[in-house]
């Protein structure tokens, strides 16, 4: 059990920001990553479709015998976590509760901003999770549908990105938030620009990175952490679209000296 | 399920330092606490006896229908956690893995000190947990058998305490540790004195407080967090010795305006 991989799924490359934190905190763990880039973005899609796509990704990795599944995508977590967690016999972790908990720990004035995809914002998952723990906290949600395409096209350091982020975040300026949840795992790639627009007095919470603390805790709790080894784990990366762009973004973002990405197909498999 | 209490057990008043963090992070949760003060300290006792006493405390709270058990005692965690966790059908959390993880997150030079009871030090539980995750990290362990009696007698702010702590911690001076684990839940009551002796450049890790992050995470994971309510939970405190000293320390340490402690007996119950 312990030597099996931890699976990560995302609509595209966003979940790599979660993997980055895993490589840092859990260097012994083997990672299997699947990004459904061919059907990205998930954000604007109907709930039922996102649930189906998430199951297709899940089934692909479950067949590869993962020991734990991280739904490293906020849109998918919002609509499919409960169902998948109930159905699988391995631990399943989403990114919304860790991000909610971290934002509550961070805020001093109980005014939290949350940016995410249309799907995540419409689910009100962050708002509900936060209000469940702290009813007096205000959560200001904002959908940023233009952010994911910027990241997937590797345009996250361009002047276009700066312009789009500045325009999109306008409704959050003067809202007196002291904490902003990056409620989409693609957004940490835009972090410097977001921080610049929103101001240094607002703390950004990276929900994906926070999730790795939960993963680490659950590895301990279920006693399935990988044994210490002198060999570096051979991570596996899969995408449903071109491997080239995926590799470029992964090499830019992760502290790995090389990376092998395989293209696979989803959609033939039937939902459980 | 959700409205049931979280149980905390300790050899005496030490676990109140864990409860303090629970009151802060989890204000909706009802707490049931049992301190076995009549048989404190556990540290110098044989393993078999500590296991038995821990089962007696566990059974007392399980009969009160707790939804989760926190073994808020390092000595008991070291020898009884695995057995109790395997036997109960509610989540069971100890204080050693959270403290180990937090210390690894904290250290920059990979030299960690660990102070605890004779029992905890002899178990090498912290050393093993840390080496399991990071073999290159050095862990310098030191038993401090005089600390628990200082706390239980409410002498933790006296000049005697200062003298004892300064003498006891001498072997750790000049060991170049940058992190020191308070590997006994009684020790946070001595924290200012310990910090003064060990120096400001050493970060103290409160294993008990770290444990509450795990508790919070598991409440989410198993979806058993208490619902938000306008009523303050009615916490219950039990001790096997005089309620007077327990109340004085609890009122000194916890942000509660009043506290009701009941004296109970253990030992008649048979081990599972």
């Amino acid at each position: 059990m312990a030597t099996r991989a931890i699976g990560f799924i995302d609509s595209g490359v966003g979940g790599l920001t979660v993997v980055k934190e895993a490589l840092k905190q859990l260097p012994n763990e083997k990672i299997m990553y699947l990004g459904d880039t061919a059907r990205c973005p998930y954000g604007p899609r109907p709930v039922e479709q996102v649930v189906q796509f998430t199951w297709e990704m899940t089934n692909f990795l479950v067949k590869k015998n993962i020991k734990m599944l991280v739904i490293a995508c906020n849109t998918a977590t919002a609509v499919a976590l409960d169902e998948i967690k109930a159905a699988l016999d391995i631990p399943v972790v989403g990114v919304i509760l860790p991000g909610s908990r971290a934002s509550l720990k961070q805020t001093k004035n109980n005014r939290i901003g949350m940016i995410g995809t249309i799907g995540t914002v419409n689910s009100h998952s962050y708002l509900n999770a936060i209000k469940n723990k702290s009813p007096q906290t205000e959560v200001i949600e904002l959908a940023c549908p233009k952010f994911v395409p910027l990241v997937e096209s590797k345009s996250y350091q361009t002047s276009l990105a700066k312009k789009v982020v500045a325009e999109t975040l306008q409704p959050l300026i003067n809202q007196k938030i002291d904490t902003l949840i990056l409620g989409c795992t693609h957004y940490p790639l835009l972090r410097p620009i977001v921080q610049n627009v929103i101001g240094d007095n607002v703390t950004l919470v990276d929900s994906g990175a926070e999730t790795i603390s939960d993963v680490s805790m659950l590895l301990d709790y279920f006693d399935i952490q990988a044994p210490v080894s002198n060999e570096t784990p051979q991570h596996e990366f899969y995408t449903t679209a071109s491997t080239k762009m995926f590799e470029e973004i992964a090499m830019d973002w992760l502290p790995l000296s090389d990376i092998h990405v395989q293209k696979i197909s989803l959609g033939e498999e039937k939902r459980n």
Side-chain angles (χ1 to χ4, degrees), chain A:
Chain A
M1 180 74 169
T3 55
R4 286 156 56 185
I6 302 175
F8 292 78
I9 56 176
D10 180 47
S11 62
V13 294
L16 294 176
T17 66
V18 191
V19 168
K20 184 174 187 170
E21 190 67 21
L23 293 171
K24 185 176 154 218
Q25 282 189 42
L26 305 167
N28 300 316
E29 298 295 337
K30 176 179 168 78
I31 287 161
M32 277 192 199
Y33 185 95
L34 171 55
D36 191 11
T37 308
R39 300 188 289 195
C40 187
Y42 279 12
R45 292 182 182 275
V47 166
E48 195 51 39
Q49 198 176 47
V50 174
V51 172
Q52 187 191 321
F53 290 179
T54 308
W55 263 116
E56 287 168 10
M57 292 196 288
T58 298
N59 289 336
F60 177 85
L61 289 184
V62 165
K63 280 181 190 156
K64 294 200 167 286
N65 203 27
I66 53 171
K67 66 180 174 184
M68 184 186 287
L69 176 68
V70 181
I71 304 182
C73 171
N74 282 269
T75 312
T77 297
V79 298
L81 171 65
D82 291 348
E83 180 178 327
I84 291 175
K85 191 171 152 186
L88 299 192
D89 58 2
I90 54 172
V92 180
V93 184
V95 285
I96 292 177
L97 283 169
S100 303
R101 252 185 277 115
S103 70
L104 274 173
K105 206 168 166 182
Q106 196 58 246
T107 186
K108 300 274 190 297
N109 72 356
N110 290 326
R111 292 185 64 81
I112 297 173
M114 193 290 287
I115 54 176
T117 67
I118 292 171
T120 304
V121 166
N122 283 351
S123 77
H124 301 303
S125 298
Y126 277 99
L127 184 139
N128 293 336
I130 291 168
K131 290 274 185 192
N132 247 338
K133 292 173 199 296
S134 174
Q136 75 277 18
T137 297
E138 293 299 322
V139 182
I140 297 107
E141 303 168 291
L142 180 68
C144 305
K146 293 182 178 170
F147 285 12
V148 169
L150 281 173
V151 172
E152 289 285 334
S153 60
K154 202 166 178 274
S155 309
Y156 44 88
Q157 288 165 330
T158 62
S159 57
L160 173 67
K162 285 179 195 168
K163 185 166 172 288
V164 168
V165 171
E167 284 172 5
T168 308
L169 296 185
Q170 273 313 307
L172 288 180
I173 310 294
N174 300 324
Q175 288 281 0
K176 296 186 179 156
I177 58 168
D178 70 351
T179 304
L180 177 63
I181 300 170
L182 303 178
C184 170
T185 54
H186 284 77
Y187 296 0
L189 289 131
L190 292 162
R191 184 175 188 137
I193 302 178
V194 170
Q195 186 78 70
N196 191 44
V197 170
I198 203 74
D200 283 342
N201 53 347
V202 176
T203 304
L204 302 187
V205 169
D206 178 341
S207 60
E210 295 297 333
T211 301
I212 296 303
S213 299
D214 281 29
V215 170
S216 176
M217 197 264 135
L218 288 173
L219 290 172
D220 277 347
Y221 185 79
F222 293 111
D223 201 12
I224 52 173
Q225 63 277 46
V228 171
S229 160
N230 291 328
E231 290 174 36
T232 311
Q234 293 299 303
H235 307 304
E236 297 176 24
F237 294 88
Y238 301 91
T239 174
T240 54
S242 150
T243 59
K244 188 168 172 293
M245 183 67 93
F246 188 104
E247 270 174 3
E248 281 180 21
I249 297 175
M251 289 301 285
D252 183 38
W253 186 249
L254 301 179
L256 295 175
S257 54
D258 85 310
I259 201 169
H260 297 286
V261 187
Q262 293 176 61
K263 185 175 172 184
I264 60 124
S265 294
L266 289 178
E268 300 89 336
E269 294 153 313
K270 287 278 163 283
R271 196 174 147 199
N272 280 21

